[in-house]
Amino acid sequence: MKDICKINLHGMRIHVFTIILCLSCIATSGVAQHQSKIDKWLKILQSSKNDTVKLDALNNLGFAGDDYGLLSKQYIAEALQLSSLLRLKNEKAFALLNQSFVFNKTGKYDSSLLNILKANQIYNGKDSVLHARFYARYYFALGMLTLPQGNDKDGTLQNFLTALRFAKLSNDAYLISVCYGAVGKAYNYLRQFDKSIESNKEYLAFAVKGGDTLILAKAHQNLSAAYLNAGNISLHETHDNEFAKLVTYLKNPQFSWLLINNRGLAFAEKGMIKEALIEALHSIEFATKQGLSANDLVASYYAAAYCLNLSGEYQRSNEFMKKVEAMADSSHLPEYKMYAASGMAENYFKLNDFKNAYEYLSKQLLLSDSLSSEKVKINSNYLHIKNKIEQKENLIKQQENTIRKNKTIQYLMAGGIFLIILLAMLGYKYYRQREKNQEQRIQELETEKQLLSTQSLLKGQEEERSRIAKDLHDGLGGLLSGVKLQLGAMKGNLFLSEENGHAFNRALDKLDESISEMRRVAHNMMPETLLKFGLRQALSDYCNGLSYKQTFTIDCEFRGLENRISQSTEVVIYRIVQELINNAIKHSGASHILVQLIQQDEENLNITVEDNGKGFDASQTTAITAGLRNVSSRVKYLNGKMDIQSQPGNGTSVYIECKLNANG
């Protein structure tokens, strides 16, 4: 629906059109996106199921259809019929409001008022979003009803401002845009052009933020008209040019017509009557070709008639005025009929045809009185229901207060429940964490117990080994050496046959072997070299002794073992390496064994023992021998880690990381 700002000139009236969004609706996020909504609603209508979803689609198309080349009237009629059939009062209330806009366009203001009143009576919204959406349209409809009456311009503005407040609550960008346009229109009617400009600037900022081409185009057009009404031609042209750029992206031909028509009116405002007439005739041709509404076509004819009047072509102006009169009569547009009568009276007066001038002046007065009576009647009816409206508004406020109180209680209850749940969760988490800590502590104590047990066992073993080695070396070794000396002395004093002499010598040899074996066993149980010269020398002697005159070789590499470490740690490391070398000799069949000890710092020692033997499947637990289990327990004693890499046919590599000060 379009606003008409009247400019008096020699009794003639010209209408500067600005967009007031009634049935010409706007997308929420881009033309394409809202078009998809239109398509969605149309698709819903193809369903044979009659329900609230279908009714909602009908009401939306009834509200927005005209802007997309659809006939809103047919959707409104179907929505009224279906809502009555299904006895859905809220949906019928929306349909009644949509029908009130149709009545306004045809000048049936009394019928429009009845529809608005009935919609308000039957609506019983509970959903907050739906509630805001309904009352935004409701107050918008009241404003559109009272706007052309002109008797309560302040009340009209308040209706539009209330509609905008509800629209913002609904978060419906389409509805918000509609109401912004209406507020700007009301300020124009009050001739408060500065406030109209301010409101339309806010509208434009909203449109820019939303990024919707259609909303942006209408915002620029409204601001352009506001600047034109205020006499600021420069800024009017700036926003009119922006509007012109956006029109090319819009599918509705009405916007192209609006651009043509408004530019003609702008030319007239600047006194460029010839150019204004060209644009007016162009707008008539365009509106006719595109099949636009009677309102648009009548406005174009009236603009052309006005331009012809200003250029002194009174007879030709009357021809256009008669077309305006005929179309206004057939389309139920009484105000344009009155404007046509006024224009023809002016033209006949200029032509010195005073008889016809008097006839059309009388007709103008008669139409003016009729319109005034109609407006008085509408205003009387409006005042009659205003009290009821205020009563319902008070009821709405009470309901809103009750809802707010209930919501506050609900929020408090929800907060309390949430707090209880949170405390319960925190308590449970604390309990679980405490239980976990206890389990971890028990595990640590168990590990510590096992470690102490291992330490005691290893310490006992080493002490027992040391004692046995000492007893063998000092006790049994001394005895055997004494026996050997005595037998040697006896040999020189005895006369033995040759055969017995050989036997005696073999006994002495066996005794020598026994003494050597005893010393070897004692040495293995507690190497004297380890105690005197340290780990590096002891392992070197051990490896050299094992590989002497053997089919395999043992290479030893040492780094960073220049300084001695604690004796107990040296013994454990010695036993680890000793066991790994023995395993390699006994089980791998290797021809080469590598032993490597690297001391990185005072706390860390790495041990590597590799062989090129037959290897084994390290993933099989059965492959772990008793010797390797002993090695593993000694590694744990040193708080270390052991990694065994082996595959059948590819040898074996054992890598160990030890902590030197763990138990030293």
Side-chain angles (χ1 to χ4, degrees):
M1 185 169 289
K2 301 160 191 71
D3 181 18
I4 302 175
C5 181
K6 306 169 182 67
I7 301 173
N8 292 321
L9 186 59
H10 302 295
M12 296 284 288
R13 290 184 176 89
I14 183 65
H15 309 281
V16 178
F17 292 80
T18 62
I19 300 176
I20 287 298
L21 312 173
C22 177
L23 300 178
S24 186
C25 303
I26 304 172
T28 58
S29 56
V31 175
Q33 183 172 344
H34 194 66
Q35 182 63 54
S36 68
K37 289 187 176 182
I38 296 289
D39 295 337
K40 177 183 175 182
W41 294 330
L42 290 172
K43 189 175 181 180
I44 290 172
L45 296 189
Q46 296 174 3
S47 170
S48 59
K49 187 177 182 180
N50 292 329
D51 54 12
T52 55
V53 175
K54 186 173 183 178
L55 259 175
D56 185 63
L58 286 169
N59 279 326
N60 283 321
L61 289 169
F63 193 67
D66 283 348
D67 219 12
Y68 290 87
L70 303 173
L71 190 61
S72 293
K73 289 173 64 175
Q74 72 178 47
Y75 300 115
I76 295 171
E78 190 174 347
L80 286 169
Q81 183 180 3
L82 184 58
S83 59
S84 298
L85 178 65
L86 299 178
R87 297 181 181 180
L88 297 172
K89 292 184 177 181
N90 284 355
E91 284 72 14
K92 186 172 183 178
F94 277 99
L96 287 169
L97 289 181
N98 285 343
Q99 192 180 47
S100 74
F101 301 139
V102 177
F103 286 144
N104 281 339
K105 290 176 69 175
T106 56
K108 298 178 181 179
Y109 302 116
D110 202 29
S111 298
S112 175
L113 180 61
L114 291 174
N115 268 32
I116 296 170
L117 176 60
K118 189 173 182 180
N120 186 49
Q121 288 174 339
I122 67 174
Y123 182 75
N124 182 26
K126 294 181 180 179
D127 180 88
S128 59
V129 175
L130 185 64
H131 170 89
R133 193 160 61 96
F134 173 80
Y135 283 104
R137 292 193 192 185
Y138 167 71
Y139 282 103
F140 175 72
L142 281 177
M144 293 304 295
L145 172 66
T146 58
L147 187 68
Q149 316 309 322
N151 296 326
D152 188 14
K153 295 179 181 179
D154 289 328
T156 298
L157 175 61
Q158 288 304 315
N159 282 330
F160 286 148
L161 288 172
T162 304
L164 180 59
R165 177 172 63 85
F166 275 114
K168 289 180 178 179
L169 289 176
S170 73
N171 291 322
D172 185 342
Y174 172 86
L175 199 53
I176 293 171
S177 174
V178 166
C179 296
Y180 264 126
V183 170
K185 179 176 182 177
Y187 280 127
N188 281 337
Y189 266 63
L190 288 167
R191 304 193 67 76
Q192 297 180 14
F193 300 128
D194 55 338
K195 290 186 177 180
S196 176
I197 291 170
E198 181 182 350
S199 176
N200 281 305
K201 281 183 176 180
E202 187 178 335
Y203 179 17
L204 180 59
F206 168 79
V208 170
K209 185 177 180 181
D212 183 308
T213 307
L214 187 56
I215 294 178
L216 191 60
K218 290 189 174 185
H220 276 297
Q221 205 285 327
N222 274 16
L223 190 55
S224 168
Y227 278 122
L228 181 62
N229 288 331
N232 192 331
I233 303 300
S234 175
L235 287 177
H236 154 72
E237 290 178 346
T238 297
H239 290 281
D240 188 62
N241 290 334
E242 292 298 322
F243 174 62
K245 293 176 185 177
L246 295 169
V247 163
T248 57
Y249 298 102
L250 305 179
K251 296 181 179 180
N252 192 335
Q254 189 179 31
F255 297 112
S256 298
W257 169 83
L258 192 60
L259 180 65
I260 300 167
N261 194 66
N262 284 3
R263 285 189 172 175
L265 298 175
F267 281 133
E269 181 72 12
K270 291 186 286 187
M272 301 169 66
I273 307 304
K274 182 178 180 181
E275 290 80 359
L277 178 60
I278 292 172
E279 295 294 338
L281 294 175
H282 184 195
S283 71
I284 292 173
E285 180 184 359
F286 185 87
T288 303
K289 182 178 180 180
Q290 295 294 332
L292 298 184
S293 69
N295 275 355
D296 299 333
L297 194 57
V298 168
S300 295
Y301 270 104
Y302 188 78
Y306 169 68
C307 292
L308 289 168
N309 173 274
L310 292 179
S311 62
E313 298 183 54
Y314 303 117
Q315 191 62 45
R316 193 178 173 198
S317 175
N318 271 347
E319 293 176 5
F320 281 85
M321 286 295 182
K322 287 179 181 179
K323 286 184 176 291
V324 171
E325 182 183 30
M327 286 188 291
D329 188 46
S330 62
S331 301
H332 306 287
L333 301 172
E335 288 190 341
Y336 269 110
K337 193 173 181 180
M338 182 187 70
Y339 299 153
S342 175
M344 284 190 283
E346 176 75 12
N347 286 330
Y348 279 122
F349 181 80
K350 293 292 184 180
L351 292 169
N352 295 320
D353 188 344
F354 301 113
K355 180 180 178 181
N356 280 325
Y358 176 77
E359 179 182 345
Y360 278 100
L361 184 60
S362 299
K363 183 181 286 189
Q364 176 202 352
L365 294 173
L366 184 64
L367 288 169
S368 178
D369 290 341
S370 176
L371 284 171
S372 297
S373 298
E374 180 67 18
K375 289 180 180 180
V376 169
K377 180 181 176 183
I378 296 298
N379 198 49
S380 176
N381 289 336
Y382 173 72
L383 293 174
H384 176 69
I385 68 168
K386 192 172 183 179
N387 184 48
K388 293 184 178 180
I389 294 171
E390 290 175 352
Q391 290 177 0
K392 181 143 190 180
E393 286 176 353
N394 291 331
L395 180 61
I396 291 170
K397 289 180 181 179
Q398 292 176 5
Q399 290 176 347
E400 288 177 345
N401 290 333
T402 303
I403 290 170
R404 277 196 294 269
K405 289 179 181 178
N406 291 337
K407 282 186 175 180
T408 302
I409 294 172
Q410 290 173 1
Y411 289 147
L412 290 174
M413 291 179 65
I417 293 171
F418 174 75
L419 185 60
I420 292 171
I421 293 173
L422 181 61
L423 290 174
M425 289 176 64
L426 290 174
Y428 176 74
K429 186 176 181 180
Y430 172 76
Y431 170 76
R432 288 295 300 161
Q433 186 62 39
R434 185 176 177 184
E435 190 178 55
K436 186 177 179 181
N437 291 340
Q438 289 176 345
E439 291 176 355
Q440 186 176 354
R441 181 57 181 160
I442 291 170
Q443 188 175 0
E444 289 175 355
L445 290 173
E446 186 67 27
T447 303
E448 186 177 345
K449 178 182 176 182
Q450 292 176 359
L451 184 59
L452 288 173
S453 177
T454 302
Q455 289 175 351
S456 300
L457 179 62
L458 292 175
K459 187 176 181 181
Q461 287 178 349
E462 294 304 327
E463 288 177 352
E464 185 65 17
R465 284 173 180 266
S466 180
R467 185 188 65 79
I468 294 172
K470 187 175 181 182
D471 289 345
L472 288 173
H473 187 274
D474 296 343
L476 184 58
L479 290 172
L480 291 174
S481 295
V483 170
K484 179 183 178 183
L485 290 174
Q486 289 176 1
L487 290 174
M490 289 173 61
K491 180 180 179 183
N493 298 325
L494 293 174
F495 294 100
L496 301 172
S497 63
E498 185 177 352
E499 183 179 351
N500 290 332
H502 287 306
F504 190 84
N505 288 332
R506 284 197 299 273
L508 288 176
D509 291 339
K510 289 293 183 181
L511 184 58
D512 284 336
E513 290 179 8
S514 298
I515 292 171
S516 297
E517 181 64 20
M518 181 274 299
R519 288 176 177 172
R520 186 187 66 78
V521 171
H523 179 78
N524 285 340
M525 295 190 73
M526 184 54 65
E528 188 176 353
T529 307
L530 178 63
L531 301 176
K532 290 183 178 181
F533 302 106
L535 184 62
R536 182 169 184 168
Q537 187 63 46
L539 286 175
S540 295
D541 291 349
Y542 179 72
C543 292
N544 291 335
L546 284 178
S547 61
Y548 180 67
K549 292 183 179 181
Q550 298 295 329
T551 58
F552 58 85
T553 59
I554 302 176
D555 291 335
C556 293
E557 295 180 5
F558 302 95
R559 294 180 189 174
L561 289 172
E562 290 80 9
N563 299 322
R564 295 286 300 270
I565 56 180
S566 66
Q567 182 177 323
S568 60
T569 303
E570 284 185 335
V571 171
V572 174
I573 294 172
Y574 181 84
R575 297 300 182 199
I576 290 172
V577 176
Q578 185 182 44
E579 185 65 42
L580 292 174
I581 294 173
N582 288 336
N583 279 344
I585 294 171
K586 291 179 183 179
H587 305 296
S588 71
S591 61
H592 181 263
I593 300 171
L594 171 65
V595 178
Q596 187 180 67
L597 276 76
I598 300 174
Q599 184 179 357
Q600 297 178 343
D601 49 43
E602 294 181 355
E603 295 185 357
N604 297 291
L605 176 71
N606 297 338
I607 302 171
T608 303
V609 178
E610 296 180 351
D611 65 68
N612 62 351
K614 61 184 179 181
F616 63 94
D617 188 353
S619 63
Q620 298 294 324
T621 57
T622 56
I624 307 301
T625 63
L628 286 177
R629 284 193 289 271
N630 289 336
V631 171
S632 178
S633 65
R634 295 180 191 277
V635 170
K636 289 181 180 177
Y637 172 76
L638 293 176
N639 197 21
K641 299 177 182 178
M642 180 171 68
D643 178 42
I644 301 175
Q645 299 292 330
S646 183
Q647 290 182 352
N650 292 326
T652 302
S653 175
V654 180
Y655 176 75
I656 299 171
E657 293 179 355
C658 297
K659 299 293 183 181
L660 297 179
N661 296 328
N663 296 287

